[in-house]
């Protein structure tokens, strides 16, 4: 944490988020359009992540090789679950449930993704600056989380969702349910 590679990625994330906010505040696209762009970003991000961590492993008898994806790369982290939330919020016709999901996404995207950028789990002690910029996984990790921060903040800035104190309870309920399921 806070190695040269991490600090460089923080600068990249800050610059990208600043540029995105400038664009969003200048042109004020609808939340639907922003969610559409986020859907595309999610698909690209997940494909890059999957293809960058896939491994070829031998079968039990060693006669063939198979593709293998380690379980911790499956999209079951809070930030990966945002993919389903983004698609739901973009395509749902149920306005009440959509509002609840967007109210959940606002703090979890903003705070959770910001913390993921500040405390990246993809760097080991032996990661060099070259590793951090020559492999695709760091690009996916940092750019995806920066996108989530921007999206989370734009949910509130767009004023298309009226975030109320009751949403605090629903957000905590959804987080509690997810924590229980993860056990």
């Amino acid at each position: 944490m806070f190695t040269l590679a991490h600090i460089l990625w923080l600068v990249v994330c800050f610059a990208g988020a600043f540029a995105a906010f400038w664009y969003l505040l200048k042109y004020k696209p609808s939340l639907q359009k922003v969610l559409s762009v986020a859907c595309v970003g999610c698909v690209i991000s997940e494909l890059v992540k999957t293809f960058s961590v896939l491994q070829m492993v031998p079968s039990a008898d060693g006669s063939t090789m198979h593709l293998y994806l380690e379980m911790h790369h499956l999209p079951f982290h809070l930030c990966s679950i945002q993919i389903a939330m983004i698609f739901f919020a973009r395509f749902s016709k149920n306005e009440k449930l959509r509002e609840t999901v967007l109210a959940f996404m606002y703090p979890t995207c903003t705070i959770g993704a910001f913390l993921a950028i500040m405390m990246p789990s993809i760097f080991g002690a032996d990661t060099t600056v070259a590793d951090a910029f020559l492999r695709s996984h760091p690009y996916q990790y940092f750019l995806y989380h920066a996108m989530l921060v921007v999206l989370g903040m734009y949910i509130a800035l767009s004023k298309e969702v009226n975030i109320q104190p009751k949403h605090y309870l629903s957000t905590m309920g959804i987080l509690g349910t997810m924590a229980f399921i993860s056990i």
Side-chain angles (χ1 to χ4, degrees):
M1 207 165 41
F2 298 107
T3 61
L4 178 59
H6 183 211
I7 291 169
L8 290 173
W9 270 113
L10 289 175
V11 170
V12 168
C13 289
F14 177 77
F18 180 79
F21 277 123
W22 175 83
Y23 178 86
L24 292 172
L25 293 175
K26 182 175 180 175
Y27 295 104
K28 297 181 180 17
S30 70
L31 186 56
Q32 282 294 95
K33 288 182 182 178
V34 174
L35 287 169
S36 295
V37 171
C39 286
V40 172
C42 288
V43 169
I44 292 169
S45 171
E46 214 42 44
L47 287 172
V48 168
K49 180 181 81 172
T50 301
F51 286 118
S52 67
V53 297
L54 272 176
Q55 301 172 17
M56 291 297 292
V57 295
S59 62
D61 64 1
S63 63
T64 60
M65 298 292 280
H66 298 281
L67 289 172
Y68 177 71
L69 182 66
E70 293 177 2
M71 285 190 64
H72 69 274
H73 292 299
L74 293 174
F76 297 131
H77 299 169
L78 182 58
C79 289
S80 297
I81 289 173
Q82 296 294 348
I83 295 168
M85 302 285 184
I86 290 167
F87 273 88
F88 180 84
R90 170 57 185 90
F91 295 106
S92 176
K93 302 294 183 210
N94 183 336
E95 286 300 317
K96 184 175 180 178
L97 194 52
R98 179 180 183 269
E99 181 177 303
T100 301
V101 167
L102 287 169
F104 169 79
M105 288 171 59
Y106 162 60
T108 57
C109 281
T110 306
I111 297 168
F114 176 77
L115 290 175
I117 291 170
M118 296 305 288
M119 299 180 287
S121 60
I122 64 165
F123 289 147
D126 59 344
T127 303
T128 65
V129 175
D131 289 340
F133 287 94
L134 294 177
R135 294 176 34 229
S136 59
H137 195 222
Y139 284 90
Q140 177 274 328
Y141 182 89
F142 283 103
L143 296 178
Y144 174 73
H145 286 95
M147 179 192 77
L148 288 182
V149 170
V150 170
L151 176 62
M153 295 180 87
Y154 194 67
I155 289 170
L157 291 174
S158 71
K159 303 282 189 214
E160 291 183 38
V161 178
N162 184 19
I163 298 176
Q164 303 169 2
K166 70 177 183 177
H167 291 124
Y168 174 78
L169 294 175
S170 65
T171 297
M172 295 309 290
I174 293 169
L175 278 174
T177 302
M178 288 180 176
F180 181 75
I181 291 170
S182 73
I183 294 173

